[in-house]
């Protein structure tokens, strides 16, 4: 679980990763310094320990990069971006990873899924963005992969990029689509291991979730000091009254900070693990992210595109030759339950982190999504015996 | 939602339905009269109202019957049985209902699923039983259906019964398999609308769940006074420390009543609704039962056969002719979310009812599964502000 | 089956539709006038009768448009394009159609499939193009749909375009991707009912199949003078020795016209029908296209993206309100087999038409894909008793 | 591919395996000695070479056993039985094999499929029988497996037997169900490697296919002298006019031997291979059996239960410990196409062998299913240039 292979690795942040971000925003009702990860509020979800960064990047080789696009105000305001997950340090097109997805509610898009299911493998980085950016990102990825893999095509095979979306139209003027190929490349270039910036960044810039500002969240869990499961979400789903943190009905208890928002919509969930899992086992992990999501109160309402993808870094499968492989590793099914628990807990926490890390954001037509008020969260969690008095463990 | 079509209909029980049951059991650490449904303890799960019986039978025409088999003690003790759900008052083989299932974790058996998926329809009653009884029940159902439908075969079509199982070996000597065709027919004959007996009855007689005695549980929810969703489960899954009721970590707080038990295993969930849904929509409802199950803390551990089936009584499709149908009804996808919520809530409550209704049961080799201690449940729920002080709604 | 709603309707061509096409090509070893549909050679596949155009456009309201892009020679030669299928005469985003797909071998891309599966419906036109054009087409479609449906977004729902691809790199310089949004719009504008131009046109411009020039092919079958099933394919799959026409081993018998070609790759198949079918039934039709494809000798080799999509025009489901629908029509499952046969036959013939209609094409690096030699086809079919002597019917 | 591990191994039969069978039948319009495998008629399907027995048993360790039940005449005549495939020489419950299935048309039953999909593995022998025998066989298998694996249950896991069916009611009085647990055990005991008896034996005793007597058929193909793919089918599907052999419209050409028969129904197809394939790859092989089936003219009509299961003997996965495996082997996806071809060819030939090997059988109510007339088959194949003049290879 050391995380040194892929370039410079930041020390674990003591505070919120977003503090390191310099993108200015118009208004900061909840300014940068006040945002926290849920664990920084003294709230622990589940019983397993997180990895050093409590992030998907705790899985060795996994890197995350964001391009955050904040332009204009009023009618033409753009609050969008792209987040990329690089699954390992090498060339993912040449060294594939086993992967499998699950559509909890497939009312959305994650391109490349037919190929993931067919080949049992991930062959491209994973991109998260706004709905209307999918085509542009898709083209950029094809360009990028063709450049670094001149043999694409010669090798009698092509590539189907993985690009997933949520709809960020409440805050962003989706029609303008001011994202470019350069933005996509920049996200790739900036991808790094270590701390992951969360909240209103990258693909999550314009997302809202559970009636508050949402976006990118991440978390991880260690299993028997041997394996790690990391989850990263782009959260744009759930209504306020549904929100639960560790079972506490936070959404119903919070006062104020209401705003008129269109129905929130979708959530993309990506899990990475260094545990050696075969595709049929990775599908099970994907399903457990659905269980973790359910624990946050989301019921996957109609119109929500809740697509869940998991990959394992343990077996690197070369794209071509040899004709057969001899040393594939896999967990025995009867030992897999702790990985399920890890996926459930990390998902639960990643979804909550997307909320607690996201600042209040003003976007298109002055639409405003408030960051969830952390003081209230803390108070309510205390009232429901989840801080200080958690005596059941 | 009137429930008068299918024979005698009991008034809603003010107390636990099981009180009406006369099957004696060897020991009643928690005797019959002390068992309750969770709602009888003053605990409400979710925000929608249940139907008059708070049971799957609130869907008009749905009937439930149990045969409970309690024989012998010590080594050869049998604690098993069969529960049947009759989907409507008529001949289900001749008047089919749309149906669809979802395998949350398919480590188990529900026969007939290939045909449900292929035809989008349910053509037989649904049977829940112990793992080793599946073959016997399957044969009995074929016999039964052939007798009441002499044309099976002539009509150039056969039937694939729906028989689902959990493994009741902790309490029952599964090898002896003392169930007979007669037991299956008796369950059908006894099936009735109205109150459903819960807990250690029928297929649930030998089941354990979340480290306590489990079995049959049911609940329902009304949607806009127009539709109803009812859920019935055979609960044999989950470990004690996972158990949550309305988000409260009950399993971690309860003291005592521990016993050595093999890993619990599986859960079968069946939903019925009178809302007009097409097969692809019923699959969504099945997935929402998974969300409701997740809210009880279950993570669908390895080895658990978590199979979820939903049918709608709104469209009755005649088996043969005419060549096409003109008046199929269906909900608009954009109005379906309340039905999701109903399925989530009813599932959550049905799983908990299976626990609170089930008495302590002594079975094979004097293995004992304790009924969850209701006094503790009540106390813990109060401590976590779920009784009396639930001020958030 | 009248085809008069959507603008000007050509009379059925007595000869090859492509004759009406004026795109010049560099070399015509098999010049335009010599190309034929397989039926024009006196060869009948199957026993059902085709519709008036023997095309997917025989399903009332279905229109097909092509943009064919032929630019440059040698290294930078572009032979690509886009083909669009407009599923009905109205606004498909507002009036959805039931649809379902099947991945025979999902090594390719058809975007929008998660949403088709989730909603059971098609909400966008269907686009067929080269692999590297997918992103551009996707963006163009989003633009187009947003313009004609200003409420997208307001309606709290977005849209996931259906864009499918095969890899046309043998003839086209895929890196240059000289397709633009305008090309996509032009295909939509030119879409019409009636005769469908086949072969090296639209998305099929650069495709090869069974070791010959491939591309777009179509065919249709009538069922009991009541319903019609039409199929359109973009054929880029199969090796020469596999090719069968009506069971005759054409590929092994043909002499000459060999060329060095990369492994061909994929095939996209789209079926339309006016028979009222629900999504679960449309999946069955999609599977039957796989059977028709199998009859042409294709075994769906590794790397082939064989994705099959079927929609029905019989039920038009309004995107929003009302809350429920009362008059959905559906075929009784027991009467569906003739539709299966229609889908099998039309698929078989459509794949062959893609070959017999496609001219020899010279593309990138002077790579040449020969049109299948029709004289030899005719001779071999005669030798194997399929012309003139077909005495078995 | 040596076949010596599992007991006595017969030399390859020069003629029809069934000649070794001593079950007398009432009438032999086509007596035993006149039946042949299609290859014995001089007809080769495909281009790959079969294994030594041209049977599923060419995969080392795979054994096949039949119990054929022929009792009574007229109304109560029973023509049924059970066929078992033992997947390897050891204890399949303790040493599992990777497996995956595909439902071409799931209108039938193959129990145990949820568990196969969930675990990616086969843990029981595979049983083929008549529809109404499924329950009895299921119970017998549970009994059998419990006896030879006393730890079932202790190991906190149970077993879901694989029992598949077709409907043999045209020839057999299905209501009487004169099959017993002993019949099932006998099939297991008699299972052997080497020659497989085909036609009207075991589960195939009462089956009809393509308007002729059907039943059990098998075939195999070698791939690069390294791997073998074997297929065994229980054929009860297809109408006479659809039947093709190597593309030749046999069904339309054959004269006479017509009889009134109910619509035939289903086909179960099982493939075994010693090629190391992971579950997601085995699903691909299962799909190729559908392609092979399509080549015989079957279109998988409504009501047909066409279920296809493939397992690989290359990786034996111990049921319990260790926690992870280190040496799983797998084919590179890019080398898998020859295995596809093998599966297609072996399936095609196995289906035809089921016809050519099956004798005319008189059953219930004197219903008679004629064995396909081999003299006509030969003559027609010659007329269509498939014998002697096959000059294209």
């Amino acid at each position: 679980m050391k995380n040194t292979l892929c370039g410079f690795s930041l020390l674990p942040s003591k505070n919120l990763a977003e503090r390191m971000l310099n993108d200015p925003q118009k208004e900061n009702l909840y300014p940068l310094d006040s945002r926290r990860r849920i664990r920084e509020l003294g709230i622990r979800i589940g019983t397993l320990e997180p990895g050093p960064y409590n992030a998907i990047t705790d899985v060795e080789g996994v890197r995350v990069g964001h391009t955050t696009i904040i332009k204009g105000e009023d009618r033409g305001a753009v609050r969008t971006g792209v987040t990329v997950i690089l699954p390992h340090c090498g060339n993912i097109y040449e060294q594939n990873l086993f992967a499998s997805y699950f559509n909890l509610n497939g009312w959305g898009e994650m391109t490349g899924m037919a190929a993931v299911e067919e080949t049992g493998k991930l062959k491209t980085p994973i991109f998260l963005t706004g709905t209307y950016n999918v085509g542009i990102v898709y083209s950029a990825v094809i360009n990028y992969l063709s450049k670094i893999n001149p043999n694409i095509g010669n090798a009698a095979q092509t590539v189907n990029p993985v690009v997933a979306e949520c709809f960020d139209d409440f805050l962003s003027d989706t029609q303008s689509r001011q994202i470019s190929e350069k933005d996509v490349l920049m996200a790739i270039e900036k991808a790094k291991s270590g701390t992951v910036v969360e909240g209103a960044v990258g693909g999550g810039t314009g997302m809202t979730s559970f009636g508050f500002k949402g976006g990118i969240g991440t978390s991880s869990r260690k299993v028997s000091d041997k394996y790690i499961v990391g989850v990263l979400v782009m959260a744009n789903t759930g209504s306020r009254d549904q929100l639960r943190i560790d079972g506490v009905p936070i959404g119903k208890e919070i006062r104020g900070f209401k705003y008129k928002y269109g129905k929130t919509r979708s959530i993309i969930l990506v899990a990475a693990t260094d545990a050696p899992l075969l595709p049929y086992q990775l599908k099970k992990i994907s399903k457990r992210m659905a269980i973790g999501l359910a624990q946050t109160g989301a019921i996957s309402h109609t119109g929500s595109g809740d697509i869940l993808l998991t990959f394992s870094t343990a077996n690197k499968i070369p794209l071509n030759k040899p004709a057969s492989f001899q040393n594939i590793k896999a967990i025995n099914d009867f030992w897999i339950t702790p990985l399920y628990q890890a996926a459930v807990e990390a998902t639960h926490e990643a979804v909550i982190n997307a909320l607690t890390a996201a600042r209040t954001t003003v976007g298109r037509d002055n639409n405003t999504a408030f960051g969830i008020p952390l003081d209230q969260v803390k108070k309510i969690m205390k009232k429901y015996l989840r801080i200080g008095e958690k005596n059941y463990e």
Side-chain angles (χ1 to χ4, degrees), chain A residues 110-176:
Chain A
M110 187 185 275
T111 66
M113 286 308 94
V116 164
E117 188 75 8
E118 186 65 35
T119 69
K121 300 194 204 73
L122 182 67
K123 303 182 177 182
T124 85
I126 299 162
F127 297 85
L128 313 180
T129 190
T131 304
Y132 283 13
N133 306 328
V134 167
I136 294 162
V137 175
Y138 193 101
S139 279
V141 179
I142 289 268
N143 267 358
Y144 167 75
L145 289 174
S146 298
K147 265 167 208 156
I148 66 172
N149 301 287
N151 280 334
I152 286 189
N154 288 355
Q157 50 186 311
T158 178
V159 66
N160 302 106
V162 176
V163 185
E165 52 79 35
C166 299
F167 198 32
D168 48 10
D169 73 318
F170 177 65
L171 294 176
S172 199
D173 174 18
T174 57
Q175 306 287 339
S176 61

Side-chain angles (χ1 to χ4, degrees), chain A residues 85-98 121-126 144-145 148-149 159 311-312 316-317 319:
Chain A
I85 300 169
L86 302 183
H88 65 58
C89 286
N91 184 336
I92 181 67
Y93 176 74
E94 289 194 343
Q95 296 285 327
N96 306 153
L97 299 181
F98 284 134
K121 300 194 204 73
L122 182 67
K123 303 182 177 182
T124 85
I126 299 162
Y144 167 75
L145 289 174
I148 66 172
N149 301 287
V159 66
F311 62 90
S312 161
K316 292 190 176 61
I317 312 291
L319 181 67

Side-chain angles (χ1 to χ4, degrees), chain A residues 374-388:
Chain A
L374 300 186
D375 46 355
Q376 287 198 43
V377 168
K378 208 165 169 179
K379 200 170 135 195
I380 298 163
M381 291 303 283
K382 194 172 170 62
K383 171 180 166 191
Y384 280 87
L385 313 184
R386 291 314 197 289
I387 301 181

Side-chain angles (χ1 to χ4, degrees), chain A residues 277-344:
Chain A
L277 298 173
L278 298 179
Y280 80 92
Q281 295 174 316
L282 291 163
K283 188 174 286 295
K284 299 172 200 265
I285 301 292
S286 291
K287 285 183 178 177
R288 266 65 193 186
M289 287 199 283
I291 292 177
L293 177 61
Q295 290 184 352
T296 69
I299 66 166
S300 209
H301 59 276
T302 203
S304 196
D306 301 355
I307 308 183
L308 311 89
L309 175 68
T310 305
F311 62 90
S312 161
T313 60
N315 293 288
K316 292 190 176 61
I317 312 291
L319 181 67
N320 284 308
K321 59 179 144 144
S324 65
F325 308 105
Q326 301 298 328
N327 289 304
I328 293 172
K329 291 168 284 176
I331 292 279
N332 183 327
D333 285 340
F334 284 98
W335 293 77
I336 208 174
T337 298
L339 295 167
Y340 291 169
Q341 192 186 342
V344 169

Side-chain angles (χ1 to χ4, degrees), chain A residues 4 52 163 218-219 262 336:
Chain A
T4 55
V163 185
T218 189
S219 182
I336 208 174

Side-chain angles (χ1 to χ4, degrees), chain A residues 69 71-80 132-133 136 167-169 171-180 183 364:
Chain A
I69 304 175
K71 292 182 192 166
E73 300 178 21
D74 297 329
R75 284 214 66 77
V78 173
R79 305 285 180 270
T80 193
Y132 283 13
N133 306 328
I136 294 162
F167 198 32
D168 48 10
D169 73 318
L171 294 176
S172 199
D173 174 18
T174 57
Q175 306 287 339
S176 61
R177 287 186 297 160
Q178 300 182 4
I179 191 172
S180 69
D183 295 321
R364 171 171 70 87

